[in-house]
Each structure stands twice: as C-alpha cells, then as structure tokens.
Amino acid sequence: MGAEDEISPADGHRVPGKEQQAAGVGILLQIMMLVLSFVLGHVLRRKKIYIIPEASASLLIGLIVGVLANISDTENNIRSWFNFHEEFFFLFLLPPIIFQSGFSLSPKPFFSNFGAIVTFAIFGTFLASFVTGVLVYLGGLVFLMYRLPFVECMMFGALISATDPVTVLSIFQELGTDVNLYALVFGESVLNDAMAISLYRTMALVKTQPSGQNLLMVVVRFLETFVGSLSAGVGVGFTSALLFKYAGLDVDNLQNLESCLFVLFPYFSYMLAEGIGLSGIVSILFTGIVMKHYSYSNLSQSSQRFVSAFFELISSLAETFVFIYMGFDIAMEQHSWSHVGFIFFSIIFIGIARAANVFSCAYLVNLVRPNHRKIPAKHQKALWYSGLRGAMAFALALQSVHDLPEGHGQTIFTATTAIVVLTVLLIGGSTGTMLEALDVIGGESHNDSPLASVGSITNYDGNNGYIAPSYDEESSSGNKIKMKLKEFHKSAASFTALDKNYLTPFFTSHNGDEDEAEPFTSTRSGFHGHDHYSS
C-alpha cells in the first residue's frame, strides 16, 4: 500500500505532503528574490549606478533564477509556482500599481498639462498602435517578416503601444527634472495603459466577431469600453467620498474600519468594471484620481497616513514582483525564435511609431500654445526615449497566445518578450546618460528647475522648461485653432470653478483650498517633491 500511495507527479496525481512542500519552496524562492531585488535596488541607488536601474535588476534576477531552474533538475510542481498567469497579473498585481498611479497623481501639474497629456495618451497611442499594426502588416506583405492577418497586426500594435517608463521616472526622481516634463511622461504612461487595453480588447472583439463589423462599430465598441469604465470608476470614487463624509468614521475607535473600507473601494471598482464586461484598469485608475481628490480629505489624519503608506507599499511590492515574474517566465516559457525577422523589424517599427506619436502630438500641442509654453525639442526627444515597454505589454502578449490561433499568438509573445527585455535592460540602462546628454536632468538645470525653485511655477522661464498655462494671454493671430483653444481654456477654467465651488464642498468636508499644500508625490516609483503650482 505504501508503494501505491507514492504515486509520481508524472501520473497526474500528487502526494498532498509533497505538493505542500513544493508550494512552500516556491513561495520561499519568490520571497528571497523580492528581498534580493529591494536590497540590490537600494545599493544601486546609493552608489548612483544608473546603468542598471531597479526594474532591470529585478528582471535580471528573475532571468538568472529562471535559467538556473531550467538547467537544473527542479521538480515540476515547484516550477509551476513561477508560471506567469495573466489572470493573477490582471486581478492581483496590476490593480494596486494602477490605483497608486491615479492616487499619487498630483492634480495641479497633471491638469495644467491635461490637454497635452490627453493628446499624447489617447490620440498618440492610437496613432502609434495604428502605425505599428500597418507597418507589421506591410512588412509581412513584402516578405520582410512573418505575415499575420491585418486584425492580428492591429492587436499587436495595440498591446505593444503600452509604455512603462518606470526606469525614466525613477531617474527623474533621483536627479530632478522640469515638473512639466515629469507630468507629461507620467500622465501619458498612466492613461496610455488604459488606452492600450481598450484598443486591444476592441480588436480582439473584432477578431472573434468579424461579420458585420465596420469602422464605426469598432469606434462605438471602444467608446463603450473606455467611457463606461471611466464612468464606473468616477461613480465608485464619488460614492466613497460621500460615505466617508457622512458616515462619521473618523473617530478614534473606528479608524481601523475607515482604513479597511478605503482599501476595499478600489478593488470594488476594478471588479465591478470587469464583472460588467468593461476595463477594470481604466475604472480603478479614475477611482484613484477621484478618491485622492475627494475621499482622502474626509479621512482622519492617522487613516490618511496609513492608506498613503499602504498603497505605496503594495504597489512597490507588486511592481518589483512583476519584473521578477517576467524575467523568470521569459526563461521558462517556450518561445518561437524561428521568426527572428519579425522580432527585428518589430523593434524598428515600434521606434518609428513612437516617433510618429511623440513628434506629431508635440507639433499639434505646440501649434496651439504660445511661444513661451511650447514643448522644447529636447523634451520631445526625452519623451520618445522614455517609451519603454514593460509589464502591461507582456501580460497582453501572453493573453494573445490564448486569443490567437495557429501559433500567431506565440510569435507575438516572443516578439513582445524580446522588445521588453531590450527596452528595459538596454535602453533603460542608457536612459540616465541619454537624459543627461539632452540636458533635461541633473547639473545646473536641476537647480533652476521648478522642483528646486520657490514660488509659483507659472513664473518659471528657465532654459530647460516651459511655463505652466497662462490663460489670460492674448494671441496675436486670431486663427480658428487658437480660438478653439481659448474655448477649451475657458471650459477648463469653468470646470476648475465648478470643482471648487460645488463638487469639493458637496463631496468633502473641506473647502478645496487645503489641498494646495499637499506634497507632490506623483509616481509609481515614489517621486517626492513639492507642488509649486500653487502661488
């Protein structure tokens, strides 16, 4: 009987004791890699070694352990604990990262550059996705690379247009930069993830239901996903604000309950959107923005400190774990390296698409901005260079393996893997040098930057920056575009007035002026400076 109990894993049955031991060993290895990543990241930061950013170090640790696990005789049930499951990524790792992005977003620098950020993140991401898809399709037609159907090329374009400039943002954090450039890079990356997911899901629907689909239906489906998810997120955020305003939870003996409820609302928003077929990422992002602006001020001071530290902690853990996970999975997964041409030309095409995105959007933004507010060429180059690909592109590519037939998804996954490794390790490692060469970080310009200055950033007119909106300025040429811009400025000013006079008093127990002194902590990587947008 004893021999019969010891059924081998190969037979499909596992001994409960063995399975539990394997789980313990797998989780222990993950915790060891996390500890090693945080310690190594701390050492690299203290030594000011920017050739290996923290994200690259985490990815490398995962890669090395994955290679060792592959060449060693590691048991399958231990290795199974390291498989990158996109469900686990989308349901558990991504929500805290995205929520923290919205929650830590300082409204003033974000909204003073809102027009430019929306242009880059929505129009620019759509343009980059379209250009990549078309170039990949044309490359297949002329036999430069492996040929994919047009809709699958567009799906690849959508997933690979999701940028993750965590490395660039961490270097900005260390060396300082113009706050407007920081807001552009950060704001674009936050909204860009939401846009890329919405585009990918729309194209996946077109792929599964090709009959009777026209361009108008595709646009309607995209708007349903994006606007519906945004509305769900904003609605949950406003509901939480009213609850914390009127429930009277900010007394001493109820502060644990207050903090618990605050932590649960973001997940409620995410799961609500996913449950009704919308995008949880878009929903939780806007829940974060609304909860920071309205709900946060209704909390007691001790709860405010707790939830800020809590979300920063779990987003930092989740992000480090994602890069380790990615590195390990890259080493463990089966890849179709036979299509090297597809990988090589995809890398070239996404560089071209990123340039089309950044430089055309910057041209449009500069067309309607006064001379003193135009985005300088070196900031445009920094934006182009900061278009690294990361966890979002990797997770969507892994999903495409299940969504696409005949090995097409595997080809896309292998190409995406190569692009992520290249951008995170090579481009990420050279980012510090590149940004210093462009003179957008460090040196004397850092001392002149708005992060180091005292007073309002609206008075900042340094060589490496462009000053924040000045809506009262009269334009010398009265063309139609500038008239439209003035109307947009007026509507933005009227929204600010609406927020200050009606929304803030209704949803909070404060008058809206108190958050002027809020610290500026707007990054996935914990960038801390001061908000100089208030005069």
Side-chain angles (χ1 to χ4, degrees), residues 44-55:
L44 290 170
R45 248 191 310 192
R46 285 199 63 177
K47 301 287 185 186
K48 299 191 184 300
I49 300 170
Y50 300 116
I51 297 172
I52 308 175
E54 290 172 74

Side-chain angles (χ1 to χ4, degrees), residues 156 160 343 346-347 350 389 414-424:
F156 176 63
I160 208 66
I343 296 165
S346 294
I347 291 167
I350 66 162
R389 269 57 177 183
T414 303
T416 306
T417 298
I419 289 163
V420 167
V421 172
L422 180 82
T423 55
V424 171

Side-chain angles (χ1 to χ4, degrees), residues 372-388:
H372 61 273
R373 290 203 58 236
K374 292 188 188 298
I375 303 173
K378 58 186 172 186
H379 285 190
Q380 295 177 36
K381 290 171 189 169
L383 267 167
W384 176 77
Y385 205 76
S386 64
L388 285 75

Side-chain angles (χ1 to χ4, degrees), residues 266-380:
Y267 259 108
F268 174 76
S269 167
Y270 187 89
M271 296 306 171
L272 173 69
E274 289 291 327
I276 57 178
L278 299 172
S279 170
I281 299 301
V282 182
S283 180
I284 200 171
L285 169 67
F286 285 95
T287 299
I289 293 171
V290 172
M291 286 184 76
K292 180 59 183 284
H293 195 50
Y294 298 106
S295 312
Y296 184 75
S297 59
N298 293 331
L299 300 178
S300 61
Q301 284 193 341
S302 62
S303 295
Q304 286 183 352
R305 285 194 296 271
F306 171 78
V307 296
S308 295
F310 176 78
F311 284 120
E312 197 170 329
L313 169 72
I314 61 166
S315 70
S316 178
L317 277 170
E319 192 156 50
T320 306
F321 191 65
V322 162
F323 279 102
I324 292 171
Y325 218 35
M326 280 169 57
F328 194 91
D329 201 66
I330 286 164
M332 300 288 281
E333 280 282 336
Q334 295 295 315
H335 295 284
S336 55
W337 295 110
S338 53
H339 304 301
V340 179
F342 187 90
I343 296 165
F344 176 76
F345 285 106
S346 294
I347 291 167
I348 293 172
F349 292 159
I350 66 162
I352 294 169
R354 179 69 183 166
N357 170 353
V358 170
F359 298 117
S360 60
C361 288
Y363 175 76
L364 289 174
V365 170
N366 285 344
L367 199 64
V368 293
R369 278 189 166 184
N371 284 331
H372 61 273
R373 290 203 58 236
K374 292 188 188 298
I375 303 173
K378 58 186 172 186
H379 285 190
Q380 295 177 36

Side-chain angles (χ1 to χ4, degrees), residues 59-71 79 82-83 324-335 337 394 413 417 421:
L59 190 71
L60 278 172
I61 288 168
L63 269 171
I64 292 164
V65 175
V67 168
L68 291 174
N70 247 342
I71 60 176
R79 292 171 65 173
F82 289 92
N83 289 341
I324 292 171
Y325 218 35
M326 280 169 57
F328 194 91
D329 201 66
I330 286 164
M332 300 288 281
E333 280 282 336
Q334 295 295 315
H335 295 284
W337 295 110
F394 184 82
F413 177 63
T417 298
V421 172

Side-chain angles (χ1 to χ4, degrees), residues 98 117-130 157-159 161-163 187-203 222-223 225-226 279 281-282 285-286 357 392 396:
I98 299 294
I117 288 169
V118 167
T119 306
F120 281 107
I122 294 183
F123 173 71
T125 303
F126 178 80
L127 183 65
S129 171
F130 181 77
L159 70 89
S161 63
T163 60
E188 186 218 359
S189 72
V190 169
L191 294 180
N192 159 281
D193 282 351
M195 181 74 179
I197 280 192
S198 300
L199 279 172
Y200 177 84
R201 289 192 173 187
T202 304
M203 297 316 298
F222 169 75
L223 288 175
T225 304
F226 193 81
S279 170
I281 299 301
V282 182
L285 169 67
F286 285 95
N357 170 353
M392 182 64 74
L396 287 173

